[in-house]
Amino acid sequence: MDFELSDDEAALAEAMRRMCQSRFPLERVRAGEGRRVVDADQWRALAEAGVFSLRLAEDDGGAGLGTAHAAVVFEELGRALVPGPLVATHVAARIVKGAGTGEQLVGLVHRPPMGRVLPVVVADLASLGAVLVVDEQGVHQLPPEALEAEPIDHGLDPLTPLWRLATIPEGAVVADAGTARELWRDHLVLSAALLVGMASAVAELATEYAKQRRQFDRPIGSFQAVKHLCADMLVRAETARASVHAAAVTIDQPDVGDALRAGAGAALLASDAAVANAKACIQVHGGMGFTWEVPAHLYLMRAALVSRGLGRAQRLAEVVAERL
Amino acid sequence: MDFELSDDEAALAEAMRRMCQSRFPLERVRAGEGRRVVDADQWRALAEAGVFSLRLAEDDGGAGLGTAHAAVVFEELGRALVPGPLVATHVAARIVKGAGTGEQLVGLVHRPPMGRVLPVVVADLASLGAVLVVDEQGVHQLPPEALEAEPIDHGLDPLTPLWRLATIPEGAVVADAGTARELWRDHLVLSAALLVGMASAVAELATEYAKQRRQFDRPIGSFQAVKHLCADMLVRAETARASVHAAAVTIDQPDVGDALRAGAGAALLASDAAVANAKACIQVHGGMGFTWEVPAHLYLMRAALVSRGLGRAQRLAEVVAERL
Amino acid sequence: MDLRYSEAEETFRAGLRAWLTDTIPTLGAAPSPHDWPARRAYDTAWQRMLYDAGYAGIDWPAEVGGRGASPVEQLVYLEELERAHAPYVGVNFVGLLHAGPTIVVEGTPEQRERFLPGILKGDAVWCQGFSEPDAGSDLAALRTRAVRDGDDYVVSGSKIWTSHAEVADYCELLVRTSDEGPKQRGITWLAMPMDAPGIDIRPLRTIAGSNEFAELFLDGVRVPVANRVGEENDGWRVTMVTLSFERGTAFVGELLQSMELVGELRALARRTGAWEDAAVRAQVGRLGAELDALWGLARRNVSQAARTDVPGVGGSVFKLAFSELRQRLAQLGQDLLGAAGLSWGELEADDGSGPLGNARLLDVWINSFSRTIAAGTSQIQRNIIAERILGLPKG
Amino acid sequence: MDLRYSEAEETFRAGLRAWLTDTIPTLGAAPSPHDWPARRAYDTAWQRMLYDAGYAGIDWPAEVGGRGASPVEQLVYLEELERAHAPYVGVNFVGLLHAGPTIVVEGTPEQRERFLPGILKGDAVWCQGFSEPDAGSDLAALRTRAVRDGDDYVVSGSKIWTSHAEVADYCELLVRTSDEGPKQRGITWLAMPMDAPGIDIRPLRTIAGSNEFAELFLDGVRVPVANRVGEENDGWRVTMVTLSFERGTAFVGELLQSMELVGELRALARRTGAWEDAAVRAQVGRLGAELDALWGLARRNVSQAARTDVPGVGGSVFKLAFSELRQRLAQLGQDLLGAAGLSWGELEADDGSGPLGNARLLDVWINSFSRTIAAGTSQIQRNIIAERILGLPKG
């Protein structure tokens, strides 16, 4: 038992962080505001870094790595606010040809119950080559043209274009119900990894600001009220990170636990951590936190977007409760 | 509209506080630890002060005062941790002969659903002259001997003896369903008043300690972490107080609002305030808060006892939700 | 304790309600929040209507042209305006609620004559130049400097968080006129004409995507000494005095609007089926109970102000509790909206039952984050409560 | 990251599990918590059994008679003991986990020889004399004084929060030997024999009604200089060094026990029907998810200790999160018990389905309040995290 990052996990995380720093510095990510399509060069860079293929077998063009490796990679992507259908394309790579190589961008949708009132939303539709619909029967694949969709003018996350789906046709069944459950579970865990990256990024942002910003002739970080806000941010991020890593390892090593319980728990805690930390980051920044300039809000909006894709917190908690 | 205490409400509160200070100083209240019966002299003093009769008409031996008056009185009784079936006897005074004068002590029980698992508990059974059972049919009166009851050896609140009821016979119907609802509503509001008194008492206890206790060469109350614990205690107590007073006035002036919504809300907030403040009071006292000597725990136990008598918080919140 | 309104109060309410019933339908559509000139025109036209009907400066003394209403009448006024969905005070905010009251108490007769009627009639719009990039919670650290030159002060520096700067006629400005003694001492209060040369206004984009605030850059702006309210270096006291005008009614409009919001959340939960979930009902019920309690606290604070004519200590308690509650309320709205919460544009329900109300709930959510920061952060409010109400020692 | 145990670790686990399976049933009933001599006898007999089986001092180096287990083996040890419901370390706590490790690192060869075997075999019980009435969170402010007199120190003062004082043979005592320099400087670490004249032990009643703690009043107690561990005035460093013995396993037993508790709460909710309520299920699920996460954090901390041989920064993070979680867990237990939570005595269910488990849940609830205070309050933990991990400036 060694729950620290292995040397190659640490090296992969480090490489991914460097790649994000050079390819996705915050000013470049922010420059994508208002875009309706995913930047092809950026996507190619992600594919070349193995983001979509790393869990595929080497014979299938992948790196044959585990979910633990994927988790540390997605944590870095979350930290850097990298846009696009990252998790969906990654989990679809085992099904959709060209997803692993970056030729196809893929969307993932959980089929909602009939007679619903609230809309179903999908990101980056204009860039997608396929949409996978997950339901109790299994996984259905649809060409994006088959979906009746309407663009959302002004989405919450300024860096992610959204479409609202009017109808979701049946589509071809491409995998069974067991695979559908695995896809959804992996989607939970890797989305949670993105969220943990965000939770950490805003904790650091707030801590740095608390060291620099002076009021009453002292750094505000010397006031316990601010200090404790920052400490609580770290606790939330580290707790969520442990839960995401445990869930990822449990997918790779099924006999150490229940991967769905771990995945639902990780999704619950990482959503909470990312949203709560982004709010706390705004609070630590005071008025500046309410400005467009400080990126705290970009993390808040992205965290809201990603966590909304995991279903209601109440439901995730019930999944854990049922499997305790 | 004048939601401050009227002169006679303020005078009544002041008189009640003085009475509690002389009749129920904390040392004397604490000396009752382990008692199985209510002290007759103390009960007489309460009756003489009008605690049980103040809302009865003057013709019925009462003072003809309103629920607002009763609320300020019960707040003082809560603050002083006065023991005994105070609220039950007060609300029963309109039904049970001798309750208002202090000759009869009364218990109040909400009839539980059939086939239950969790026990029904009643306080001070050995001292009671009557038990009122409230259900959907109305109010039933029973002599305590009619109840099959078993003493609880060691109750949570060291100042309140408890019995567990095995069976609750039907008993004589003494009032209709409407009266039953009123009794329960008044029981909620006056119990909430007791709880607000406790919430304030522990807020003051913690604040005083934070001023006196020194660590790191400063009063601990000069540390923001402690300061903010105390500030939050005050906010909880004052918010709950406003809600209890509003509920009491709404009983007296039915056209200003929905008294049951107000009562359920007051019970919810006052329970939370009393329990959360008692916990915070222990925390502010540090290790001393965990000693028998510091009375924080007596407030915690009494708050737990009284709030348990109001039903589950979840249910109180639902009552409010249904009546918004 | 009495929650019934007196006959006089009910008469006041009835008159106001009748006037609102007649007047509100005559108003045009509210302008886009991004169109400042249209907002000024709309808000000041509404102010003029209030003025003509005798409701301008509801809490201002009659001798300066106000209504001279009691605190309770002021509460009734806010209740009725909220009930009628009347326009918000908007660009008149600083004039009516801050600069005007300051001039009422601290201005000379000439200054009152010169500045107050314009505020009441909607002819003059004011903005506020208090905070600076390095003087936020620590306002007294402000560094914008004014140097006396003949009959003028020459002002240089920068201000931040200024609302309606683009359309304001005057700015209530705090400047540093001395570095001697405690930093609170060397501050002076000026009424700066916004058309003076040397003022550069730069909009500040917020996380809501709006330009609700601006930064002001002041470079040698000349402000006549006649525009100074109070003595030189006495501006801190002058500003604090304004707070004594507060009668427990701050945030009451928003509180009442929040109660309406809870009703909307309940309706939304019923439409989506979430109401079947006991946990959702309990969350809504708890928020409702807390709002009821804060409405009680607001009426208590107003009653105290009515009796004593000084603001109760309850203001910080109310502000802290309400701003935190508002955030939870806004978050519940987002939780109930699911994916619909991701769109700023209004969406229709998938079952054909009409608009979901998501645009407004999203707006409430975004703006809720400023609630625990603006007008004193929650951390500062807790300090105030601990030190001024509970008497705990300064840190 | 690897959550599978190695073959060696699994072998260690299998051996331990087999031994526990054989041994636990042979134990007598646990004594009353109020009977100190019986508790000593029970706990030390268990320690002797561990010793004889080679499991005493699981984390102590082999050269002083310990098992010399790796941090991961220590984790397995704690897992298996919890799984088997083995006795808690009890009166051996201070000796095995605090005083002993201090002597291992800082004691002379003679001191190791003299003190350590007794701890491992359960022959010697230790208690702790660190905190004082005026030195709690601020431990370095301690004032119990020791004055050198020939080959002895003469000690006077008082100590508080001393567990098992009534049955201890030794007390690890911090005393002030100098007032010069920073207050941390003049502190000395002594092993005080509890049978020395001048020690008055007064039980301290807790809110749980127990006498788990005592106050020690010391009046001219003579402690041989030979019992001093480390140099005179170097006791603060000596004490801090002990912390480096911590390998991320503190509170792991309680964490595992909390996971079992969640299962009990689920069973209780199913019996009472509360499980029908989605809100209750969600509360239980959330607590379960948080415990799973903390179990991950514990394994991370242990892995870090295994790699680096120094305690990770995760200890304060874990302690803060776990103690707050434990309080919420305990409160949920009370909420689910309804009126049954009001009785310290075990109650039977009204439907004849047997005991409700209320006595244990009440005990958990009461004791949960000490969790956020003992071993560093939550406030102190947040300071540590902010200052030592995040590098925020001291207040």
Side-chain angles (χ1 to χ4, degrees):
Chain A
M1 198 284 286
D2 178 14
F3 193 45
E4 280 277 72
L5 268 57
S6 67
D7 288 348
D8 62 309
E9 285 160 352
L12 181 60
E14 178 56 31
M16 194 53 55
R17 185 174 299 204
R18 277 201 310 273
M19 196 275 270
C20 287
Q21 280 162 353
S22 70
R23 279 280 184 174
F24 297 94
L26 193 58
E27 45 303 355
R28 197 176 306 166
V29 170
R30 294 190 77 158
E33 189 188 333
R35 72 172 175 84
R36 299 299 297 176
V37 291
V38 175
D39 182 287
D41 282 349
Q42 290 183 352
W43 199 259
R44 202 171 309 117
L46 293 169
E48 280 164 14
V51 166
F52 310 116
S53 60
L54 66 84
R55 288 200 301 160
L56 295 181
E58 293 187 30
D59 287 352
D60 297 330
L65 296 174
T67 315
H69 288 88
V72 301
V73 164
F74 277 79
E75 199 174 311
E76 294 303 329
L77 298 172
R79 165 186 293 278
L81 282 179
V82 173
L86 304 168
V87 175
T89 303
H90 174 100
V91 300
R94 59 191 275 195
I95 291 178
V96 178
K97 237 180 134 68
T101 58
E103 289 153 88
Q104 297 269 25
L105 284 72
V106 186
L108 184 68
V109 171
H110 206 300
R111 192 187 299 280
M114 301 294 289
R116 68 183 181 274
V117 172
L118 295 174
V120 176
V121 160
V122 67
D124 291 303
L125 189 68
S127 309
L128 301 183
V131 174
L132 295 186
V133 179
V134 163
D135 62 19
E136 283 174 13
Q137 271 70 54
V139 185
H140 310 251
Q141 183 168 341
L142 288 160
E145 314 81 72
L147 296 163
E148 204 179 306
E150 184 183 354
I152 285 176
D153 265 358
H154 184 175
L156 181 63
D157 173 8
L159 307 177
T160 305
L162 297 178
W163 281 257
R164 178 229 183 112
L165 301 185
T167 54
I168 305 175
E170 270 296 304
V173 176
V174 291
D176 64 11
T179 307
R181 281 194 295 275
E182 283 176 20
L183 243 58
W184 194 252
R185 177 201 67 194
D186 293 1
H187 165 72
L188 289 179
V189 174
L190 296 179
S191 299
L194 287 177
L195 290 162
V196 161
M198 295 179 218
S200 289
V202 288
E204 289 162 22
L205 199 61
T207 301
E208 279 316 301
Y209 188 75
K211 287 177 189 172
Q212 307 302 328
R213 169 76 174 172
R214 296 178 69 88
Q215 288 281 272
F216 305 103
D217 306 315
R218 308 160 43 174
I220 60 170
S222 68
F223 292 104
Q224 277 189 341
V226 174
K227 214 173 253 192
H228 292 189
L229 280 174
C230 293
D232 286 339
M233 290 170 82
L234 183 83
V235 171
R236 280 191 291 262
E238 289 304 315
T239 309
R241 171 174 287 116
S243 107
V244 169
H245 287 181
V249 174
T250 306
I251 291 173
D252 297 336
Q253 303 175 348
D255 47 338
V256 304
D258 174 342
L260 182 53
R261 160 176 158 178
L268 181 68
L269 299 189
S271 293
D272 278 5
V275 172
N277 280 10
K279 289 179 182 176
C281 184
I282 291 176
Q283 186 71 22
V284 168
H285 278 80
M288 289 309 297
F290 202 66
T291 63
W292 194 266
E293 181 192 342
V294 170
H297 68 108
L298 296 175
Y299 284 95
L300 176 62
M301 304 316 170
R302 183 67 62 83
L305 173 74
V306 174
S307 68
R308 218 64 61 92
L310 310 178
R312 286 183 56 210
Q314 162 94 10
R315 183 63 207 137
L316 291 169
E318 285 181 61
V319 170
V320 177
E322 286 151 14
R323 306 179 77 92
L324 281 174
Chain B
M1 199 284 287
D2 178 13
F3 194 44
E4 279 278 72
L5 268 58
S6 67
D7 288 349
D8 62 309
E9 285 161 352
L12 181 60
E14 179 56 32
M16 193 54 56
R17 185 173 300 204
R18 277 201 310 274
M19 196 274 271
C20 287
Q21 280 163 351
S22 70
R23 279 280 182 175
F24 297 94
L26 193 57
E27 334 60 276
R28 199 176 304 166
V29 170
R30 295 189 75 158
E33 190 189 333
R35 71 172 175 84
R36 299 300 297 176
V37 291
V38 174
D39 183 287
D41 283 348
Q42 289 182 353
W43 199 260
R44 202 171 308 117
L46 293 168
E48 280 163 16
V51 166
F52 310 116
S53 60
L54 66 85
R55 289 200 300 160
L56 295 181
E58 293 188 30
D59 287 351
D60 296 331
L65 296 173
T67 315
H69 287 89
V72 301
V73 164
F74 277 79
E75 199 174 312
E76 294 303 328
L77 299 172
R79 166 185 293 278
L81 281 179
V82 173
L86 302 169
V87 174
T89 303
H90 174 100
V91 301
R94 60 190 275 194
I95 291 178
V96 179
K97 239 180 133 66
T101 57
E103 289 153 89
Q104 298 269 27
L105 284 72
V106 187
L108 184 68
V109 172
H110 206 301
R111 192 187 301 277
M114 299 294 288
R116 69 184 180 275
V117 172
L118 296 174
V120 176
V121 160
V122 67
D124 292 301
L125 188 69
S127 309
L128 301 183
V131 173
L132 295 187
V133 178
V134 163
D135 62 19
E136 283 174 14
Q137 271 69 56
V139 184
H140 309 252
Q141 184 169 340
L142 289 159
E145 314 81 71
L147 296 162
E148 205 179 306
E150 185 183 354
I152 286 175
D153 265 356
H154 184 176
L156 181 64
D157 173 9
L159 308 177
T160 305
L162 297 178
W163 281 257
R164 180 233 182 109
L165 300 185
T167 54
I168 306 174
E170 269 297 304
V173 176
V174 291
D176 63 12
T179 307
R181 281 193 296 276
E182 283 176 19
L183 243 59
W184 194 252
R185 177 200 67 193
D186 294 1
H187 165 71
L188 289 179
V189 173
L190 296 179
S191 298
L194 286 176
L195 290 161
V196 161
M198 295 179 219
S200 289
V202 287
E204 289 162 22
L205 199 60
T207 301
E208 280 315 301
Y209 188 74
K211 288 178 188 172
Q212 307 302 327
R213 169 76 173 171
R214 297 177 69 88
Q215 287 283 272
F216 305 103
D217 305 315
R218 310 161 41 174
I220 60 169
S222 69
F223 292 103
Q224 278 188 341
V226 174
K227 212 173 254 190
H228 292 190
L229 280 174
C230 292
D232 286 339
M233 291 170 82
L234 182 84
V235 171
R236 280 191 291 263
E238 289 304 314
T239 308
R241 172 175 287 115
S243 108
V244 169
H245 287 182
V249 174
T250 306
I251 291 172
D252 297 335
Q253 303 175 346
D255 47 338
V256 304
D258 174 341
L260 182 53
R261 159 176 159 179
L268 181 68
L269 299 189
S271 292
D272 278 4
V275 172
N277 280 9
K279 289 178 181 175
C281 184
I282 291 175
Q283 186 71 22
V284 168
H285 278 80
M288 290 309 296
F290 202 66
T291 63
W292 193 266
E293 181 192 341
V294 169
H297 69 107
L298 296 175
Y299 284 95
L300 176 61
M301 304 315 170
R302 182 69 61 82
L305 173 74
V306 174
S307 68
R308 219 63 62 92
L310 309 178
R312 285 182 57 209
Q314 162 94 11
R315 183 63 208 137
L316 291 170
E318 284 181 60
V319 169
V320 177
E322 286 151 14
R323 306 180 77 94
L324 281 174
Chain C
M1 293 182 281
D2 190 350
L3 289 177
R4 291 166 308 195
Y5 290 92
S6 69
E7 209 166 313
E9 287 155 1
E10 289 293 8
T11 305
F12 171 77
R13 183 194 296 277
L16 175 57
R17 189 177 292 185
W19 179 75
L20 287 167
T21 306
D22 292 345
T23 309
I24 297 296
T26 70
L27 295 175
S32 152
H34 302 289
D35 184 347
W36 277 112
R39 284 175 66 173
R40 176 181 168 131
Y42 186 83
D43 294 347
T44 55
W46 167 243
Q47 181 60 28
R48 179 70 200 203
M49 292 162 95
L50 287 168
Y51 179 80
D52 289 340
Y55 293 113
I58 189 79
D59 56 333
W60 291 23
E63 59 266 31
V64 299
R67 172 90 185 194
S70 71
V72 176
E73 284 171 338
Q74 191 181 353
L75 193 72
V76 170
Y77 171 85
L78 292 168
E79 271 194 282
E80 291 301 318
L81 262 68
E82 194 58 43
R83 182 178 181 278
H85 298 115
Y88 181 56
V89 63
V91 303
N92 306 300
F93 182 87
V94 174
L96 279 169
L97 295 165
H98 212 277
T102 303
I103 295 167
V104 167
V105 178
E106 293 290 324
T108 61
E110 293 71 29
Q111 287 172 333
R112 292 181 177 200
E113 188 54 45
R114 186 169 149 218
F115 292 121
L116 300 181
I119 295 172
L120 292 171
K121 292 182 193 165
D123 293 338
V125 167
W126 286 64
C127 64
Q128 187 179 72
F130 281 13
S131 297
E132 298 181 7
D134 289 324
S137 293
D138 185 12
L139 180 60
L142 61 90
R143 291 188 305 201
T144 289
R145 183 161 295 277
V147 179
R148 181 80 177 257
D149 180 29
D151 288 341
D152 290 337
Y153 286 102
V154 181
V155 182
S156 293
S158 67
K159 293 289 177 179
I160 197 168
W161 311 123
T162 304
S163 298
H164 342 116
E166 291 85 342
V167 294
D169 303 295
Y170 290 99
C171 176
E172 54 164 351
L173 192 73
L174 291 183
V175 292
R176 178 153 307 282
T177 37
S178 166
D179 292 317
E180 277 164 44
K183 57 190 176 183
Q184 284 79 1
R185 288 274 173 80
I187 292 170
T188 299
W189 197 108
L190 300 177
M192 177 175 74
M194 289 297 286
D195 57 2
I199 303 177
D200 182 18
I201 300 170
R202 293 187 212 157
L204 191 67
R205 192 173 173 199
T206 70
I207 69 174
S210 78
N211 294 328
E212 200 57 37
F213 303 109
E215 285 187 272
L216 298 186
F217 295 89
L218 309 178
D219 181 14
V221 181
R222 298 192 82 87
V223 180
V225 173
N227 285 18
R228 186 189 72 213
V229 172
E231 295 304 308
E232 186 169 291
N233 297 332
D234 198 28
W236 187 259
R237 189 195 58 76
V238 168
T239 306
M240 293 300 121
V241 156
T242 312
L243 296 177
S244 72
F245 234 71
E246 217 284 291
R247 298 148 113 195
T249 53
F251 307 105
V252 158
E254 282 187 57
L255 173 68
L256 296 166
Q257 188 242 337
S258 298
M259 293 172 109
E260 199 174 307
L261 204 56
V262 168
E264 289 170 36
L265 293 188
R266 188 169 79 148
L268 176 64
R270 285 198 163 137
R271 274 173 82 184
T272 63
W275 196 249
E276 299 299 305
D277 181 342
V280 169
R281 292 198 303 278
Q283 275 179 290
V284 170
R286 177 173 284 277
L287 290 168
E290 290 182 50
L291 285 167
D292 282 350
L294 290 185
W295 177 228
L297 205 56
R299 285 177 293 177
R300 169 137 306 162
N301 290 343
V302 165
S303 301
Q304 205 168 351
R307 286 199 191 186
T308 61
D309 228 28
V310 294
V313 287
S316 282
V317 172
F318 183 85
K319 201 274 183 184
L320 175 61
F322 177 62
S323 56
E324 303 277 341
L325 166 58
R326 178 88 179 180
Q327 280 185 4
R328 283 183 286 127
L329 180 62
Q331 185 62 51
L332 179 60
Q334 280 297 293
D335 295 346
L336 291 175
L337 280 174
L342 300 173
S343 169
W344 286 93
E346 186 66 17
L347 300 175
E348 299 279 320
D350 268 359
D351 67 350
S353 61
L356 287 165
N358 58 294
R360 177 170 133 80
L361 289 177
L362 184 49
D363 198 65
V364 166
W365 184 69
I366 296 278
N367 283 299
S368 73
F369 301 112
S370 70
R371 290 296 188 287
T372 53
I373 296 170
T377 64
S378 289
Q379 287 71 35
I380 297 278
Q381 300 298 343
R382 288 192 182 93
N383 280 353
I384 292 173
I385 292 167
E387 292 168 10
R388 297 198 204 151
I389 305 182
L390 299 177
L392 287 168
K394 292 217 163 208
Chain D
M1 293 182 280
D2 190 349
L3 289 177
R4 291 166 307 194
Y5 291 92
S6 69
E7 209 165 313
E9 287 155 1
E10 290 292 10
T11 304
F12 172 77
R13 183 194 297 278
L16 176 57
R17 189 177 293 187
W19 179 73
L20 287 167
T21 307
D22 291 345
T23 309
I24 298 295
T26 70
L27 295 174
S32 152
H34 302 288
D35 184 348
W36 277 111
R39 284 176 65 174
R40 175 179 170 132
Y42 186 83
D43 295 346
T44 54
W46 168 244
Q47 180 61 27
R48 179 69 200 206
M49 292 162 94
L50 286 168
Y51 180 82
D52 289 339
Y55 294 113
I58 189 79
D59 55 333
W60 290 24
E63 60 265 33
V64 299
R67 171 91 185 197
S70 71
V72 176
E73 284 172 338
Q74 192 181 352
L75 193 72
V76 170
Y77 171 84
L78 292 169
E79 272 193 281
E80 291 302 317
L81 262 66
E82 194 59 42
R83 182 177 181 278
H85 297 116
Y88 182 57
V89 63
V91 303
N92 306 299
F93 182 89
V94 174
L96 278 170
L97 295 164
H98 212 277
T102 303
I103 294 167
V104 167
V105 178
E106 294 288 323
T108 61
E110 294 71 29
Q111 287 172 333
R112 293 180 177 201
E113 188 55 44
R114 191 173 143 213
F115 292 121
L116 299 181
I119 294 172
L120 291 171
K121 293 181 193 165
D123 293 339
V125 167
W126 286 64
C127 64
Q128 186 179 73
F130 281 13
S131 298
E132 298 182 5
D134 289 325
S137 293
D138 185 12
L139 179 59
L142 62 89
R143 292 187 304 202
T144 290
R145 184 161 295 279
V147 179
R148 181 79 177 257
D149 180 29
D151 288 339
D152 290 339
Y153 286 101
V154 182
V155 182
S156 293
S158 67
K159 293 289 178 180
I160 197 169
W161 312 122
T162 304
S163 298
H164 343 115
E166 291 85 342
V167 294
D169 302 295
Y170 290 99
C171 177
E172 55 164 349
L173 192 72
L174 291 183
V175 292
R176 179 153 306 282
T177 37
S178 166
D179 291 317
E180 277 165 46
K183 58 191 177 182
Q184 285 80 359
R185 290 274 173 80
I187 293 170
T188 299
W189 198 107
L190 299 177
M192 176 176 74
M194 288 298 286
D195 58 1
I199 303 177
D200 183 17
I201 300 170
R202 294 186 212 158
L204 191 66
R205 191 174 175 200
T206 70
I207 68 175
S210 78
N211 293 329
E212 200 57 38
F213 303 108
E215 285 186 273
L216 298 186
F217 296 88
L218 309 177
D219 182 12
V221 182
R222 299 191 82 87
V223 180
V225 172
N227 286 18
R228 186 188 74 213
V229 171
E231 296 303 307
E232 186 170 291
N233 297 331
D234 198 28
W236 186 258
R237 189 194 58 77
V238 168
T239 306
M240 293 300 122
V241 156
T242 312
L243 296 177
S244 72
F245 235 72
E246 217 284 291
R247 298 149 111 192
T249 54
F251 308 106
V252 158
E254 281 187 57
L255 174 68
L256 296 166
Q257 188 241 338
S258 298
M259 293 172 110
E260 199 173 307
L261 204 56
V262 168
E264 289 169 35
L265 293 188
R266 188 168 79 146
L268 176 64
R270 286 199 162 134
R271 274 174 82 186
T272 64
W275 196 249
E276 300 299 307
D277 182 341
V280 168
R281 292 198 303 279
Q283 275 179 291
V284 171
R286 176 173 286 276
L287 291 168
E290 291 182 49
L291 286 167
D292 282 350
L294 290 185
W295 177 227
L297 204 57
R299 285 177 293 178
R300 169 137 305 162
N301 290 343
V302 166
S303 301
Q304 204 168 354
R307 285 198 190 186
T308 62
D309 227 29
V310 295
V313 288
S316 281
V317 173
F318 183 84
K319 200 274 183 185
L320 175 61
F322 177 61
S323 57
E324 304 277 341
L325 166 59
R326 178 89 179 180
Q327 280 185 3
R328 284 183 285 126
L329 179 62
Q331 185 62 52
L332 179 60
Q334 280 297 292
D335 295 345
L336 291 176
L337 280 173
L342 301 173
S343 169
W344 286 94
E346 187 65 17
L347 300 176
E348 299 278 322
D350 267 359
D351 67 350
S353 60
L356 287 165
N358 58 295
R360 177 170 132 79
L361 289 177
L362 184 48
D363 198 65
V364 166
W365 184 69
I366 296 278
N367 283 299
S368 74
F369 301 113
S370 70
R371 290 295 188 289
T372 53
I373 296 171
T377 64
S378 289
Q379 287 71 33
I380 297 277
Q381 300 298 343
R382 288 192 182 92
N383 281 353
I384 292 173
I385 293 167
E387 292 167 10
R388 297 196 203 153
I389 305 181
L390 300 177
L392 287 168
K394 292 219 165 207

